Amino acid sequence: MSQDLFLALDQGTQSVRAMLFDLDGQLVAKSQQHIEPYFAAQPNWAEQEAGYFWENLSLACQGLWTAHPELKSRVVAVSLACQRATMLCLDADLQPLRPATIWLDSRRTEHYPNLPLWLKAGIKLAGQESIIHQFQSKAECNWLAADYRDVWAKTKHFVQLSGYLTLKLTDHLNDAVASQIGYIPFDYKRQQWAAPSDLKWRALTLKRHQLPPLVQAAEPLGTISRQAARDTGIPEGLTLYAAGADKACEVLGAGAITPDVGCLSYGTTATFNTGNSRYVEPLPFLPAYPAAVPHTYNSEIMVFRGYWMVNWFKREFAAQEVLQAKAQGIEPELLFDDLLRQSPPGAMGLMLQPFWSPGVKFPGPEAKGSIIGFGDVHTRAHLYRAIIEGIGYALRQGKDMLEKRNGRPITSLKVAGGGSQSNEVMQITANIFGMHAERPHTFETSGLGAAINAAVGAGYYKSHADAVAVMCHRGDVFKPEAGSVALYDQLYKQVYSKIYPQLQPLYRSIRQITGYPK
């Protein structure tokens, strides 16, 4: 048993990775295939061919076996973590009818099912008109039915990308409970498709028969089919165990399964999560998502564009580092730590609010980003630091919200995602939060969360808590520095926390005058 390995497949936004973990949670081998996140035929669209995902997942697996042929026979179980809220239309033969709609797609429609007057009155009385409008207008099924009527008429199955990849791996159309996040008729509290009486069915064009069977974390989704074995090299007949969305797996892989442990993720979307056995909405009327531990929840505060802002900075302001990195054969982000070292904590008064995309509840639909405090001393280095600090402030605000909602203080802080690889970012995080910031022992926390589900499902551990105790380890720990903590605390409380309330009326005016965001 000590030689047994778990294959974790992680279909992310920027790449797909095939990884082998052992019983101790150590990453034994890895193969990564970088992908184009999406193509955009028009502004604000984000799509990708379904076959492209399968092709690159297969290439990642084949690369793993090419580099480590001796390890294939040791694999005993498989699990999948997948980007969330990426949707596909399948026909009666389970073939894609059009490209997948990536979670970054921001199309909307005003042509959606009309709710009865009595229901509209109740929604208005509850003050939830804005949330329901957002739900109906942004739901992919609604704008697909309005703008692609022929396609929608042929859509027999409407599934997450995770469901499609499960189909390709097993020949069975099932999906993980913890992958169900998006504008879909899902009952987040009961972790099942909504009851027939649920408002969501009236608000959406979806029908129950279009949605796949759901399987709780660590339960079997099926076995690797003969064709999948040919395409990927994964041994035929191995069991594929349910895991969940990449964020859910990341929280599990970081060991954040109780509400006193906060999991901060510096990903394309930056998030702050706590795990909970109770259903605790992070904000009123916003759901707690299903965790990658069965029948538990993740309460999440999201900064939608999060570490996307680092890519924005790279594209718009870092041509010098891009050229230098290319010459050295490294990623440009590795050079950005120098920019942080060139600027002091607080960025000499430059403050950034990272709401580059509107939200639903907080920030609201009128939200825009802002940068204040510019002076003639400021350089690119200060701007980059302001981005990192702004994301940190927003996530600290998330921590404050979740502590109030959970009724428990967060005493431990785990930091995952791409940004956690930077020592400078980790130190800034420790200082902004005024807490020890702990990096898990492996950067591949999403893959580890998937591997934990494979290990529990295959019977190697009795529970997820047992698996976490053995497979999740402490990595580097960054201690808060007293002087910087005091500075950040003042800036957070006296400046950052007041930016959005002060600018919200102006954002509304901008929206009314320019029509953006729509």
Side-chain angles (χ1 to χ4, degrees), residues 342-425:
Q342 291 170 26
S343 54
M348 299 185 73
L350 198 63
M351 297 283 290
L352 180 142
Q353 176 196 267
F355 299 151
W356 255 237
S357 288
V360 177
K361 189 82 173 178
F362 183 84
E366 74 289 323
K368 298 180 74 67
S370 66
I371 309 174
I372 63 173
F374 271 114
D376 60 0
V377 298
H378 290 125
T379 66
R380 290 184 315 126
H382 297 96
L383 176 59
Y384 183 66
R385 176 176 277 274
I387 289 172
I388 299 303
E389 291 176 345
I391 298 170
Y393 290 136
L395 293 173
R396 174 174 167 178
Q397 198 164 30
K399 168 184 172 289
D400 293 348
M401 292 176 181
L402 291 180
E403 284 182 320
K404 291 178 182 177
R405 301 291 293 180
N406 287 326
R408 288 183 62 179
I410 291 169
T411 57
S412 177
L413 182 64
K414 308 291 183 77
V415 186
S420 68
Q421 295 181 85
S422 164
N423 288 347
E424 296 292 331
V425 170

Coordinates of all heavy atoms in Angstrom, one line a residue, residues 342-425:
Q342 N 11.2 47.3 -4.5 CA 11.5 48.7 -4.8 C 10.5 49.7 -4.2 O 10.8 50.9 -4.3 CB 11.5 48.9 -6.3 CG 12.7 48.2 -7.1 CD 12.5 48.2 -8.6 OE1 11.8 49.1 -9.1 NE2 13.0 47.2 -9.3
S343 N 9.5 49.3 -3.6 CA 8.4 50.2 -3.1 C 8.1 49.8 -1.7 O 8.1 48.6 -1.3 CB 7.2 50.1 -4.0 OG 6.7 48.7 -4.0
P344 N 7.9 50.8 -0.8 CA 7.6 50.5 0.6 C 6.2 50.1 0.9 O 5.3 50.3 0.1 CB 7.9 51.8 1.3 CG 7.5 52.8 0.3 CD 7.9 52.2 -1.1
P345 N 6.0 49.4 2.1 CA 4.6 49.1 2.5 C 3.7 50.4 2.4 O 4.1 51.4 2.8 CB 4.8 48.6 3.9 CG 6.2 48.0 3.9 CD 7.0 48.9 3.0
G346 N 2.5 50.2 1.8 CA 1.7 51.3 1.7 C 1.8 52.1 0.4 O 1.0 53.0 0.0
A347 N 2.8 51.7 -0.4 CA 3.1 52.2 -1.8 C 3.1 53.8 -1.8 O 2.6 54.4 -2.7 CB 2.1 51.7 -2.7
M348 N 3.6 54.3 -0.7 CA 3.7 55.8 -0.6 C 2.3 56.4 -0.8 O 2.2 57.5 -1.5 CB 4.7 56.4 -1.5 CG 6.1 55.9 -1.2 SD 7.5 56.6 -2.1 CE 7.5 58.2 -1.4
G349 N 1.3 55.8 -0.2 CA -0.1 56.4 -0.3 C -0.9 56.0 -1.5 O -2.1 56.5 -1.6
L350 N -0.4 55.2 -2.4 CA -1.2 54.7 -3.5 C -2.1 53.6 -3.1 O -1.6 52.6 -2.6 CB -0.3 54.3 -4.6 CG -0.9 54.2 -6.0 CD1 -1.4 55.6 -6.5 CD2 0.1 53.7 -7.0
M351 N -3.4 53.7 -3.3 CA -4.4 52.7 -2.8 C -5.2 52.3 -4.0 O -5.7 53.1 -4.8 CB -5.3 53.3 -1.7 CG -4.6 53.8 -0.5 SD -4.2 52.4 0.6 CE -5.8 51.9 1.2
L352 N -5.5 51.0 -4.1 CA -6.2 50.4 -5.2 C -7.4 49.6 -4.6 O -7.2 48.8 -3.7 CB -5.3 49.5 -6.0 CG -5.9 48.9 -7.3 CD1 -5.0 48.9 -8.4 CD2 -6.3 47.4 -7.0
Q353 N -8.5 49.7 -5.2 CA -9.7 48.9 -4.9 C -9.9 48.0 -6.1 O -10.2 48.4 -7.2 CB -10.9 49.8 -4.7 CG -12.2 49.0 -4.5 CD -13.4 49.9 -4.7 OE1 -13.9 50.4 -3.8 NE2 -13.9 50.0 -5.9
P354 N -9.8 46.6 -6.0 CA -9.6 45.7 -7.1 C -11.0 45.2 -7.7 O -11.1 44.1 -8.0 CB -8.8 44.6 -6.5 CG -9.3 44.5 -5.1 CD -9.6 45.9 -4.7
F355 N -11.9 46.1 -7.8 CA -13.2 45.7 -8.3 C -13.3 46.0 -9.8 O -14.1 46.8 -10.3 CB -14.4 46.3 -7.6 CG -14.4 46.0 -6.1 CD1 -14.9 46.8 -5.2 CD2 -13.9 44.7 -5.7 CE1 -15.0 46.5 -3.8 CE2 -13.9 44.4 -4.3 CZ -14.5 45.3 -3.4
W356 N -12.4 45.4 -10.6 CA -12.4 45.6 -12.1 C -13.6 45.0 -12.8 O -13.7 45.2 -14.0 CB -11.1 45.1 -12.6 CG -10.0 46.1 -12.9 CD1 -9.4 46.3 -14.2 CD2 -9.4 47.1 -12.1 NE1 -8.5 47.3 -14.1 CE2 -8.5 47.8 -12.8 CE3 -9.6 47.4 -10.7 CZ2 -7.7 48.9 -12.3 CZ3 -8.8 48.4 -10.2 CH2 -7.9 49.1 -11.0
S357 N -14.4 44.2 -12.1 CA -15.6 43.7 -12.6 C -16.7 43.9 -11.6 O -16.5 43.8 -10.4 CB -15.5 42.2 -12.9 OG -14.6 42.0 -14.0
P358 N -17.9 44.2 -12.1 CA -19.0 44.4 -11.1 C -19.4 43.1 -10.4 O -19.0 42.0 -10.9 CB -20.2 44.9 -12.0 CG -19.8 44.3 -13.4 CD -18.3 44.3 -13.5
G359 N -20.1 43.2 -9.3 CA -20.6 42.0 -8.6 C -22.1 41.9 -8.5 O -22.8 42.5 -9.3
V360 N -22.6 41.2 -7.6 CA -24.0 41.0 -7.4 C -24.4 41.7 -6.1 O -25.2 42.6 -6.1 CB -24.4 39.5 -7.3 CG1 -25.9 39.4 -7.1 CG2 -24.1 38.8 -8.6
K361 N -23.8 41.3 -5.0 CA -24.2 41.8 -3.7 C -23.1 42.8 -3.2 O -23.4 44.0 -2.9 CB -24.4 40.7 -2.7 CG -25.0 41.1 -1.4 CD -26.5 41.2 -1.4 CE -27.0 41.4 0.0 NZ -28.5 41.6 -0.1
F362 N -21.9 42.3 -3.0 CA -20.8 43.1 -2.7 C -19.5 42.7 -3.4 O -19.1 41.5 -3.2 CB -20.5 43.1 -1.2 CG -19.4 44.0 -0.8 CD1 -19.6 45.4 -0.6 CD2 -18.1 43.6 -0.7 CE1 -18.6 46.3 -0.3 CE2 -17.0 44.5 -0.4 CZ -17.3 45.8 -0.2
P363 N -19.0 43.5 -4.3 CA -19.5 44.8 -4.7 C -20.8 44.6 -5.5 O -21.1 43.6 -6.0 CB -18.4 45.3 -5.6 CG -17.7 44.1 -6.2 CD -17.8 43.1 -5.1
G364 N -21.5 45.7 -5.7 CA -22.7 45.7 -6.4 C -22.6 45.8 -7.9 O -21.4 45.8 -8.4
P365 N -23.7 45.8 -8.6 CA -23.6 45.7 -10.1 C -23.0 47.0 -10.7 O -22.6 47.0 -11.9 CB -25.1 45.5 -10.5 CG -25.9 46.0 -9.4 CD -25.1 45.7 -8.1
E366 N -22.9 48.1 -9.9 CA -22.4 49.3 -10.5 C -20.8 49.4 -10.3 O -20.2 50.3 -10.7 CB -23.0 50.5 -9.8 CG -22.5 50.7 -8.3 CD -23.0 49.7 -7.3 OE1 -24.2 49.2 -7.5 OE2 -22.3 49.3 -6.4
A367 N -20.3 48.4 -9.6 CA -18.9 48.5 -9.1 C -17.9 48.7 -10.3 O -18.0 48.1 -11.3 CB -18.5 47.3 -8.3
K368 N -16.9 49.5 -10.0 CA -15.7 49.7 -10.9 C -14.5 49.8 -10.0 O -14.6 49.9 -8.8 CB -15.9 51.0 -11.7 CG -17.1 51.0 -12.6 CD -17.2 52.3 -13.4 CE -16.1 52.4 -14.5 NZ -16.4 51.4 -15.6
G369 N -13.4 49.6 -10.6 CA -12.1 49.7 -9.8 C -11.7 51.1 -9.6 O -12.2 52.1 -10.3
S370 N -10.8 51.4 -8.7 CA -10.3 52.7 -8.5 C -8.9 52.7 -8.0 O -8.5 51.7 -7.3 CB -11.2 53.5 -7.5 OG -11.1 52.8 -6.2
I371 N -8.1 53.7 -8.3 CA -6.8 53.9 -7.7 C -6.7 55.4 -7.3 O -7.0 56.3 -8.1 CB -5.7 53.6 -8.8 CG1 -5.9 52.3 -9.5 CG2 -4.3 53.7 -8.1 CD1 -4.9 52.0 -10.6
I372 N -6.4 55.6 -6.0 CA -6.4 56.9 -5.5 C -5.0 57.2 -4.8 O -4.3 56.2 -4.5 CB -7.5 57.2 -4.5 CG1 -7.3 56.3 -3.2 CG2 -8.9 57.0 -5.1 CD1 -8.3 56.6 -2.1
G373 N -4.7 58.5 -4.7 CA -3.5 58.8 -3.9 C -2.2 59.0 -4.8 O -1.1 59.1 -4.3
F374 N -2.4 59.2 -6.1 CA -1.3 59.4 -7.0 C -0.5 60.6 -6.7 O -1.1 61.7 -6.3 CB -1.8 59.5 -8.5 CG -1.9 58.1 -9.2 CD1 -3.1 57.6 -9.6 CD2 -0.7 57.4 -9.4 CE1 -3.2 56.4 -10.2 CE2 -0.8 56.2 -10.1 CZ -2.0 55.7 -10.5
G375 N 0.8 60.5 -6.8 CA 1.7 61.7 -6.7 C 2.9 61.5 -7.6 O 3.0 60.5 -8.3
D376 N 3.7 62.6 -7.7 CA 4.8 62.5 -8.7 C 5.9 61.6 -8.3 O 6.8 61.3 -9.1 CB 5.4 63.9 -8.9 CG 5.9 64.6 -7.6 OD1 5.9 63.9 -6.6 OD2 6.4 65.7 -7.7
V377 N 5.8 61.0 -7.1 CA 6.8 60.0 -6.7 C 6.5 58.6 -7.2 O 7.4 57.7 -7.1 CB 6.9 60.0 -5.2 CG1 7.3 61.3 -4.6 CG2 5.6 59.5 -4.5
H378 N 5.3 58.4 -7.7 CA 4.9 57.0 -8.0 C 5.4 56.5 -9.3 O 5.4 57.2 -10.3 CB 3.3 56.9 -7.9 CG 2.8 57.1 -6.5 ND1 1.9 58.1 -6.2 CD2 3.1 56.4 -5.4 CE1 1.6 58.0 -4.9 NE2 2.4 57.0 -4.4
T379 N 5.8 55.2 -9.3 CA 6.3 54.5 -10.4 C 5.5 53.2 -10.7 O 4.6 52.9 -9.9 CB 7.8 54.1 -10.2 OG1 7.9 53.2 -9.1 CG2 8.6 55.4 -9.8
R380 N 6.0 52.5 -11.7 CA 5.3 51.2 -11.9 C 5.4 50.3 -10.7 O 4.5 49.5 -10.4 CB 6.0 50.4 -13.1 CG 5.8 51.0 -14.4 CD 6.5 50.2 -15.5 NE 7.9 49.8 -15.1 CZ 8.3 48.5 -15.1 NH1 7.5 47.5 -15.4 NH2 9.5 48.2 -14.7
A381 N 6.5 50.4 -10.0 CA 6.7 49.6 -8.8 C 5.6 49.8 -7.7 O 5.1 48.9 -7.1 CB 8.1 49.8 -8.2
H382 N 5.3 51.1 -7.5 CA 4.3 51.5 -6.6 C 2.9 51.0 -7.0 O 2.1 50.5 -6.2 CB 4.2 53.0 -6.4 CG 5.5 53.6 -5.8 ND1 6.5 54.1 -6.6 CD2 5.9 53.6 -4.5 CE1 7.5 54.5 -5.8 NE2 7.1 54.3 -4.6
L383 N 2.7 51.1 -8.4 CA 1.4 50.6 -8.9 C 1.3 49.1 -8.7 O 0.2 48.6 -8.3 CB 1.3 50.9 -10.4 CG 0.0 50.4 -11.1 CD1 -1.2 50.9 -10.5 CD2 0.1 50.7 -12.6
Y384 N 2.3 48.3 -8.9 CA 2.3 46.9 -8.7 C 2.0 46.5 -7.3 O 1.2 45.7 -6.9 CB 3.5 46.2 -9.2 CG 3.4 44.7 -9.1 CD1 2.6 44.0 -9.9 CD2 4.2 44.0 -8.2 CE1 2.4 42.6 -9.8 CE2 4.1 42.6 -8.1 CZ 3.2 41.9 -8.9 OH 3.1 40.6 -8.8
R385 N 2.7 47.2 -6.4 CA 2.5 47.0 -4.9 C 1.1 47.3 -4.6 O 0.4 46.6 -3.8 CB 3.5 47.8 -4.1 CG 3.2 47.6 -2.6 CD 4.2 48.4 -1.7 NE 5.4 47.6 -1.6 CZ 5.6 46.6 -0.6 NH1 4.6 46.4 0.2 NH2 6.7 46.0 -0.5
A386 N 0.5 48.4 -5.1 CA -0.9 48.8 -4.8 C -1.8 47.7 -5.3 O -2.9 47.5 -4.6 CB -1.2 50.1 -5.5
I387 N -1.6 47.1 -6.4 CA -2.4 46.0 -6.8 C -2.4 44.8 -5.8 O -3.4 44.3 -5.4 CB -1.9 45.5 -8.2 CG1 -2.3 46.5 -9.3 CG2 -2.6 44.1 -8.6 CD1 -1.7 46.2 -10.7
I388 N -1.2 44.4 -5.4 CA -1.1 43.3 -4.5 C -1.7 43.7 -3.1 O -2.4 42.8 -2.5 CB 0.4 42.9 -4.3 CG1 1.0 42.5 -5.6 CG2 0.6 41.8 -3.2 CD1 0.4 41.3 -6.3
E389 N -1.5 44.9 -2.7 CA -2.0 45.3 -1.4 C -3.6 45.4 -1.5 O -4.3 45.1 -0.6 CB -1.4 46.6 -1.0 CG 0.0 46.5 -0.6 CD 0.7 47.8 -0.2 OE1 0.1 48.9 -0.5 OE2 1.8 47.7 0.4
G390 N -4.1 45.9 -2.6 CA -5.5 46.1 -2.8 C -6.2 44.7 -2.8 O -7.3 44.6 -2.2
I391 N -5.7 43.7 -3.5 CA -6.2 42.4 -3.4 C -6.2 41.9 -2.0 O -7.2 41.3 -1.5 CB -5.5 41.4 -4.3 CG1 -5.6 41.9 -5.8 CG2 -6.0 40.0 -4.2 CD1 -4.7 41.1 -6.7
G392 N -5.1 42.1 -1.3 CA -5.0 41.7 0.1 C -6.1 42.4 1.0 O -6.7 41.7 1.9
Y393 N -6.3 43.7 0.8 CA -7.3 44.4 1.6 C -8.7 43.8 1.4 O -9.5 43.6 2.3 CB -7.3 45.9 1.2 CG -6.1 46.7 1.7 CD1 -5.5 47.6 0.8 CD2 -5.6 46.6 3.0 CE1 -4.4 48.4 1.2 CE2 -4.5 47.3 3.4 CZ -3.9 48.2 2.5 OH -2.9 49.0 2.9
A394 N -9.0 43.6 0.1 CA -10.3 43.0 -0.3 C -10.5 41.7 0.4 O -11.6 41.4 0.9 CB -10.4 42.9 -1.8
L395 N -9.5 40.9 0.4 CA -9.6 39.5 1.0 C -9.7 39.6 2.6 O -10.3 38.8 3.2 CB -8.5 38.6 0.6 CG -8.5 38.3 -0.9 CD1 -7.3 37.5 -1.3 CD2 -9.8 37.5 -1.3
R396 N -9.0 40.6 3.1 CA -9.1 40.8 4.6 C -10.5 41.2 4.9 O -11.1 40.8 5.9 CB -8.1 41.9 5.1 CG -8.3 42.2 6.5 CD -7.3 43.2 7.1 NE -7.8 43.7 8.4 CZ -7.1 44.6 9.2 NH1 -5.9 45.0 8.8 NH2 -7.6 45.0 10.3
Q397 N -11.1 42.0 4.1 CA -12.5 42.4 4.2 C -13.4 41.1 4.2 O -14.4 41.0 5.0 CB -13.0 43.4 3.1 CG -14.2 44.2 3.4 CD -14.4 45.4 2.5 OE1 -13.9 45.3 1.4 NE2 -15.0 46.4 3.0
G398 N -13.1 40.2 3.3 CA -13.8 38.9 3.3 C -13.6 38.2 4.5 O -14.6 37.6 5.0
K399 N -12.4 38.1 5.1 CA -12.2 37.5 6.4 C -13.1 38.1 7.5 O -13.7 37.3 8.3 CB -10.7 37.6 6.8 CG -10.4 37.2 8.2 CD -9.0 37.4 8.6 CE -8.7 37.2 10.1 NZ -9.3 38.3 10.9
D400 N -13.2 39.4 7.5 CA -14.0 40.1 8.5 C -15.5 39.7 8.4 O -16.2 39.4 9.4 CB -13.8 41.6 8.4 CG -12.5 42.1 8.8 OD1 -11.7 41.3 9.4 OD2 -12.1 43.2 8.5
M401 N -15.9 39.6 7.1 CA -17.3 39.2 6.9 C -17.6 37.8 7.3 O -18.6 37.5 8.0 CB -17.6 39.4 5.4 CG -17.6 40.8 4.8 SD -17.9 40.7 3.0 CE -17.8 42.5 2.7
L402 N -16.7 36.9 7.0 CA -16.9 35.5 7.3 C -16.8 35.2 8.8 O -17.6 34.4 9.4 CB -16.0 34.6 6.6 CG -16.2 34.5 5.1 CD1 -15.1 33.6 4.4 CD2 -17.6 34.0 4.7
E403 N -16.0 35.9 9.5 CA -15.9 35.8 11.0 C -17.3 36.2 11.6 O -17.7 35.5 12.5 CB -14.8 36.6 11.6 CG -13.4 36.0 11.3 CD -12.3 36.9 11.9 OE1 -12.4 38.1 11.9 OE2 -11.3 36.3 12.5
K404 N -17.9 37.2 11.1 CA -19.2 37.6 11.7 C -20.2 36.6 11.3 O -21.1 36.3 12.2 CB -19.5 39.0 11.1 CG -18.7 40.2 11.6 CD -19.0 41.5 11.0 CE -18.1 42.6 11.5 NZ -18.5 43.9 10.8
R405 N -20.2 36.1 10.1 CA -21.2 35.2 9.6 C -21.1 33.8 10.4 O -22.1 33.2 10.7 CB -21.2 35.0 8.1 CG -21.4 36.2 7.3 CD -22.8 36.8 7.4 NE -23.7 35.9 6.7 CZ -25.0 36.2 6.7 NH1 -25.5 37.2 7.2 NH2 -25.9 35.3 6.1
N406 N -19.9 33.4 10.5 CA -19.6 32.1 11.2 C -19.8 32.2 12.7 O -20.0 31.1 13.4 CB -18.2 31.6 10.8 CG -18.1 31.0 9.4 OD1 -19.1 30.5 8.9 ND2 -17.0 31.2 8.8
G407 N -19.6 33.4 13.2 CA -19.6 33.5 14.7 C -18.4 32.9 15.4 O -18.4 32.6 16.6
R408 N -17.3 32.8 14.6 CA -16.1 32.3 15.1 C -14.9 33.0 14.6 O -14.9 33.3 13.4 CB -15.9 30.8 14.8 CG -16.9 29.9 15.6 CD -16.6 28.4 15.2 NE -15.3 27.9 15.6 CZ -14.8 26.7 15.4 NH1 -15.7 25.8 14.9 NH2 -13.6 26.3 15.8
P409 N -13.9 33.3 15.4 CA -12.7 34.0 14.8 C -11.8 33.0 14.0 O -11.8 31.8 14.2 CB -11.9 34.4 16.1 CG -12.3 33.4 17.1 CD -13.8 33.1 16.8
I410 N -11.2 33.6 13.0 CA -10.3 32.8 12.2 C -8.9 32.9 12.8 O -8.4 34.0 13.0 CB -10.3 33.3 10.7 CG1 -11.6 33.0 10.1 CG2 -9.1 32.7 9.9 CD1 -11.8 33.7 8.7
T411 N -8.4 31.8 13.2 CA -7.1 31.8 14.0 C -5.9 31.2 13.2 O -4.8 31.3 13.6 CB -7.2 30.9 15.3 OG1 -7.6 29.6 14.9 CG2 -8.3 31.5 16.2
S412 N -6.2 30.7 12.0 CA -5.1 30.2 11.1 C -5.4 30.6 9.7 O -6.5 30.5 9.2 CB -5.1 28.6 11.3 OG -4.1 28.1 10.4
L413 N -4.3 31.0 9.0 CA -4.5 31.5 7.6 C -3.6 30.6 6.7 O -2.4 30.6 6.8 CB -4.1 32.9 7.6 CG -4.2 33.7 6.2 CD1 -5.7 33.7 5.8 CD2 -3.6 35.1 6.3
K414 N -4.3 29.9 5.7 CA -3.6 29.2 4.7 C -3.7 30.0 3.4 O -4.7 30.5 3.1 CB -4.2 27.8 4.5 CG -4.4 27.0 5.8 CD -3.1 26.5 6.4 CE -3.3 25.7 7.6 NZ -3.7 24.3 7.3
V415 N -2.6 30.0 2.7 CA -2.5 30.8 1.4 C -2.1 29.9 0.3 O -1.1 29.3 0.3 CB -1.5 32.0 1.6 CG1 -1.6 32.9 0.3 CG2 -1.8 32.8 2.8
A416 N -3.0 29.9 -0.7 CA -2.8 29.0 -1.9 C -2.9 29.8 -3.2 O -3.0 31.1 -3.1 CB -3.8 27.9 -1.9
G417 N -2.8 29.2 -4.3 CA -2.9 29.9 -5.6 C -1.6 30.4 -6.1 O -0.6 30.3 -5.4
G418 N -1.6 30.9 -7.3 CA -0.3 31.3 -8.0 C 0.5 32.3 -7.2 O 1.7 32.2 -7.1
G419 N -0.2 33.3 -6.6 CA 0.5 34.3 -5.9 C 1.2 33.8 -4.7 O 2.1 34.5 -4.2
S420 N 0.8 32.7 -4.1 CA 1.4 32.2 -2.9 C 2.9 31.7 -3.1 O 3.6 31.5 -2.2 CB 0.6 31.0 -2.3 OG 0.7 29.9 -3.2
Q421 N 3.3 31.6 -4.4 CA 4.6 31.2 -4.7 C 5.6 32.3 -4.4 O 6.8 32.1 -4.3 CB 4.8 30.7 -6.1 CG 4.0 29.5 -6.4 CD 4.1 29.1 -7.9 OE1 5.0 28.3 -8.2 NE2 3.2 29.5 -8.7
S422 N 5.2 33.6 -4.3 CA 6.0 34.7 -4.1 C 6.2 34.9 -2.6 O 5.2 35.2 -1.9 CB 5.4 36.0 -4.7 OG 6.0 37.1 -4.2
N423 N 7.4 35.0 -2.1 CA 7.7 35.2 -0.7 C 7.3 36.7 -0.4 O 6.9 36.9 0.7 CB 9.2 35.0 -0.5 CG 9.6 33.6 -0.4 OD1 8.8 32.7 -0.4 ND2 10.9 33.3 -0.5
E424 N 7.5 37.6 -1.3 CA 7.2 39.0 -1.0 C 5.6 39.1 -0.8 O 5.2 39.8 0.1 CB 7.6 39.9 -2.2 CG 9.1 40.0 -2.4 CD 9.8 40.7 -1.2 OE1 9.2 41.5 -0.6 OE2 11.0 40.3 -1.0
V425 N 4.9 38.5 -1.7 CA 3.4 38.5 -1.6 C 3.0 37.8 -0.3 O 2.1 38.3 0.4 CB 2.7 37.8 -2.8 CG1 1.2 37.6 -2.5 CG2 3.0 38.6 -4.0

